[in-house]
Amino acid sequence: MSTQPPHTTTTDAPLPPRDTLLRMFLQMSQTRCFEETAARLFTQGKVHGTAHFCIGEEAAGIGVTAALEPQDLIYATHRGHGQSIGKGMEIRRMMAEFLGKATGVCKGKGGCMHIADLSAGNLGANGIVGAQLPIAVGAALSTRLQKLDRVVICFFGDGASNEGTFHEALNLASIWKLPVVFLCVNNQYGMSMHVGDHVNVPDLSVRAAAYGIPGWSADGNDAVAVWQAARRAREIARTQGPCLLVANTYRIMGHSKSDNNAYRDKAVIEQWKARCPIKRLRAWLLERGLASEQELDALSARARHDIDDALAFAEASPDPEPAAAFTDVYA
Amino acid sequence: MAMETGVIRRWLKRPGDTVAVGEPLLEIETDKVTMEVEAEASGTLLAALHPEGATVPVTETVAWLGQPGETPPAVTTRPSSSPSPAVRIEDENADEDDQAATRPSSSLSSSPAPARAPDGRVPATPAARRLARERGLDLARVTPSHPDGALRLRDVAPLAARRVTPLARALAAEAGLDPLALDGSGCGGKVTAADITRAVAGRPRRVPLSGMRRLIAERMALSRREIPDATLALSADVTDLFAWRERRKRAGGSVPSVNDAVLYAVAAALAEFPFLNATFEQGEILCWPDVNLGVAVAVDNGLVVPVLRGAQRLTLDALSDLARDTVAQARAGKLPPDAYLGGTFTVTNLGMLGIAHFTPIINPPQTAILGVCAAEERPVRRGGRTVWRTSLPLCLTHDHRVIDGALGAAFLNRVKKSLENWRSP
Amino acid sequence: MREITYAQAIREALAEELRRDPAVFFMGEDVAAYGGAFGVSAGLLAEFGPERIRDTPISEAAIMGAAVGAAMTGLRPVVEIMFSDFVSCCFDGLCNQAAKTRYMFGGQTAMPLVVRAPAGSGTGAAGQHSQSPEAWICNVPGLKVVAPSTPHDAKGLLKAAIRDDNPVVFLEQKLLYRTKGEVPEADYTVPLGQAACRRDGRHLTVLTYGRMVARCLEAAERLAAEDGAEAEVLDLRTLVPLDREAVIASARKTGRVLIVHEACQTGGFGGELAAVVAGSDAFFYLDAPVRRLCGADTPIPYNPTLEASVVPTTDSIAAALRDLLR
């Protein structure tokens, strides 16, 4: 499999409305800024624990969430900052969670690997690779049994597609025809192992055939293409049953904060940096005359401001009381 | 002295009788009391070893309890140097009140040697250890019954149960002591009467605070904590007052006391000194129109201060009658609770107890209190010669926040003047 | 009062809760038309239909994960894992997802799901269909663990488990399915976390649960008849949360404790029970070492004589009681 993702056409499907496009640009910028800030906090020694960054993969998360309806649910991955911001989580409380503060969305008890906000329809990031797939099937079953008009989007990575739960979940969703989109963000690495080494098919989406469900790939660095594919996937899930959509992209950063990239060629990383999905969306918006330089600059500035504000909020927030360690074990 | 021998007065059970634990078995007489000895186990009285009237050393075995038909062991009538308990137990239910309800085959002994770890520690269950610790028993002297060699509760419990002599138990109960909390000086660490006597001798008596005591404690502590007080003293020449009382006595009828006269003089003075007929409450001085005189009255284990209301309006005789009735009723505990409320000034008198000077404590929120001491004859220089006059020392404690020294002195002098220029009111 | 079997009691509990609360549904392998491997859910499909009584593929991880997802989104799933040994096939869903999600998410969600799992040996099913896996599960904070010993408790505890907002692992005892007992017809629950004293006694305490309760009671009767000693038999009923007060009070009262369970000894729940006793003030009342009588540290063998020999029997329990009383 080449490092260059297959390109998907976007010409014959509807395009996102302008305000959606601008929101996508803002949220992708917020995600980038959030992660750059988080990475800086690590180097400054201000945070303990770990984080997994989706820099370069923002379109694959936010292109999807922008295509959803408010009642839809997502299960995020451990690399899910973009997915969470896209689903409308409060950035202040995300940052506070990252810093382990009492005001964090999980009261400082989950950290950014377990960020969840059920009120925003984010059923949570999972630290166990592939665990979210059957859980998403359960949420889709719940949707069915409660006769709700809603779709569940289950994000997972190329690595998770090798877990047994991938097989069990896709099969179960397929036989029950549940409204769930299996959204594989193929960032080409399962920790250090390249997708070309851990999978023996040229395109992960062909795996859908084994379950009798639709499966196809999109250019995960093209936010518009991802949005179009996600709209289509959502509609299939809502009306027919599950489908598998693969957004092909690239993990610019290491697996987690403690990764020295010893297993890959730095030149390739640089090539992918040049394909930055944010720059790409910006160029596309300008080219189409959908936004001006000033508008986009203002959105970038707002993203920076929002993250600064979130950091200030988080830093000013108290640590959890020691007693908090003993609450929420049981309902 | 510890009890060393006892006289068996009477056997209450005969051999062959069934005995329940706690049932009186015999009656013994010591140098102090006659008492019943209770069975420490249930069973059948197999043998009574001494006749009624016999004098027996305290460590001597006097009876055997066991199963019907059992033969008691051969008996030595002299106590051996390793003492054995007064009543041997050969019963299956030695201690109903403890859970170790099985074979009490152990005893205090010098042999055989109990099982021990190489380091000298004695293996025992937590329950056995707990009981031994509570009762101060030395586990090393107890023989284990279990094949694993570790002491069980059943090994320790019978010994623990016998650790207090009956007399000591009775004395301890009287003194409100837990005899098992004491170190026993008797054989095998048994707590004896002497231990109880010793323990009682060194102990303070704990007296719980009565409601009144608690109130006095709180109010006096409050006064001393809050009030910057000062005490002024002077003596009034009450020779004329005493003479007047003698005349009244001779005329018959009730005669106002010296204290009544003081109350009368104080009531009149207070009408002229509003800051002394006052209370200090929450940073405010409240000067009261009526003189409500508090009179300190000693009662059993305490002190009460009933109030004579509107004292400035009363004649001496009326005030005297009121004071007499009020004090009598207070002593009898018959005054209603509101009779102690609303005082504006207090008079306290220790004169009848011969006190020459004292510093009374203000009864808050009042601003002053007058102490009346014992009158005494004093030589006084008058007109170039020495005459003996009767002098009454008065001590005024005042709240310096309200009353400065000069004002207090003026008031005290006003009282003094009234008493000295005594006119029959 | 009428008598029904343990299996019928479980079926009644399921049916009553399915009727009572539309959020309740039931899924597992072969639970619908087949009626479950042990016939426990026979007849439920006819009353509740295939939407609420769902056959699943042989996909324990998917069953457990789906239960978690459903429980997070407004339903109260009950799932059957055909043999409790198979919880190892969905351990992540149970131990990392069901157990921890509420905590990791700062209390944002409840996790009202029940995992029914038939446990125990005695059926000749050998090593992979006979284990008593409670110790694995009790070690995971966030899960509750129930092991009923009577039809009455099976029904009342299952109804309480379904109404509980936490993940509950409900360990059914295969060999008890056909045992009968009195079960009220009226609606009732047995609260989680309460032990039941099955027999009063003052000389020693037996701590047990599940299938071993009946054997312990038999052994206790034998002891009373032959030795005149009275054993108190405490049926724990719920392992997590444990009724520590009842355990400690009984140990304190008698001073001698025997722990009996079918599961293997090493790392078993009995060790926890012993530690609860020894770590409480009951320690000071102990008049003998705390004894465990557990399953042997072996897989369950196939041969019936061997199979019977690796779990406590009435005889071995009675012998252990006598030994403790010496």
Side-chain angles (χ1 to χ4, degrees), chain B residues 125-127 130 146-147 152-153, chain C residues 256 283-288 326:
Chain B
T125 65
R130 173 180 57 87
H146 195 278
R152 297 301 198 269
L153 192 58
Chain C
R256 291 183 181 84
F283 172 81
F284 300 106
Y285 295 82
L286 288 179
D287 202 28
R326 276 202 301 157

Side-chain angles (χ1 to χ4, degrees), chain B residues 106-127:
Chain B
S106 70
S107 62
L108 276 178
S109 64
S110 51
S111 68
R116 285 191 187 217
D119 62 4
R121 287 181 302 156
V122 181
T125 65

Side-chain angles (χ1 to χ4, degrees), chain B residues 128-365:
Chain B
R129 229 178 262 294
R130 173 180 57 87
L131 187 64
R133 189 172 54 244
E134 283 173 8
R135 309 283 167 100
L137 281 177
D138 179 7
L139 286 177
R141 303 189 57 201
V142 186
T143 305
S145 59
H146 195 278
D148 69 9
L151 292 170
R152 297 301 198 269
L153 192 58
R154 62 172 178 256
D155 305 325
V156 179
L159 308 177
R162 284 196 295 267
R163 276 200 66 262
V164 182
T165 66
L167 180 60
R169 205 185 291 282
L171 290 173
E174 191 179 301
L177 270 182
D178 174 10
L180 297 170
L182 302 177
D183 288 332
S185 62
C187 63
K190 186 180 271 193
V191 177
T192 65
D195 297 323
I196 306 294
T197 311
R198 235 190 330 273
V200 169
R203 271 168 24 121
R205 192 167 61 92
R206 289 179 195 281
V207 182
L209 285 187
S210 66
M212 176 168 59
R213 196 74 251 154
R214 192 182 306 278
L215 188 67
I216 293 169
E218 280 168 9
R219 295 191 61 74
M220 292 300 99
L222 171 75
S223 180
R224 268 291 146 85
R225 200 164 55 239
E226 301 267 316
I227 301 178
D229 58 8
T231 302
L232 307 170
L234 54 59
S235 290
D237 184 334
V238 289
T239 314
D240 293 346
L241 171 62
F242 272 53
W244 172 81
R245 287 191 75 239
E246 288 307 315
R247 290 197 296 280
R248 279 287 299 262
K249 277 183 194 165
R250 284 196 294 276
S254 69
V255 181
S257 66
V258 175
N259 196 59
D260 292 341
V262 173
L263 292 175
Y264 183 74
V266 163
L270 285 172
E272 296 168 23
F273 287 81
F275 280 11
L276 283 100
N277 190 52
T279 55
F280 188 74
E281 298 177 53
Q282 290 161 348
E284 254 193 317
I285 303 169
L286 306 178
C287 301
W288 297 92
D290 262 359
V291 174
N292 292 341
L293 267 189
V295 184
V297 179
V299 296
D300 281 349
N301 301 318
L303 175 72
V304 292
V305 187
V307 175
L308 311 177
R309 288 172 208 285
Q312 87 280 14
R313 288 196 294 268
L314 301 179
T315 65
L316 175 63
D317 284 314
L319 186 60
S320 173
D321 290 345
L322 178 62
R324 193 183 314 109
D325 286 356
T326 303
V327 169
Q329 286 192 56
R331 288 206 169 107
K334 286 181 182 162
L335 287 179
D338 62 4
Y340 300 98
L341 303 177
T344 56
F345 187 93
T346 298
V347 175
T348 177
N349 191 334
L350 294 176
M352 66 293 255
L353 301 174
I355 295 302
H357 177 264
F358 67 111
T359 57
I361 297 178
I362 293 168
N363 185 16

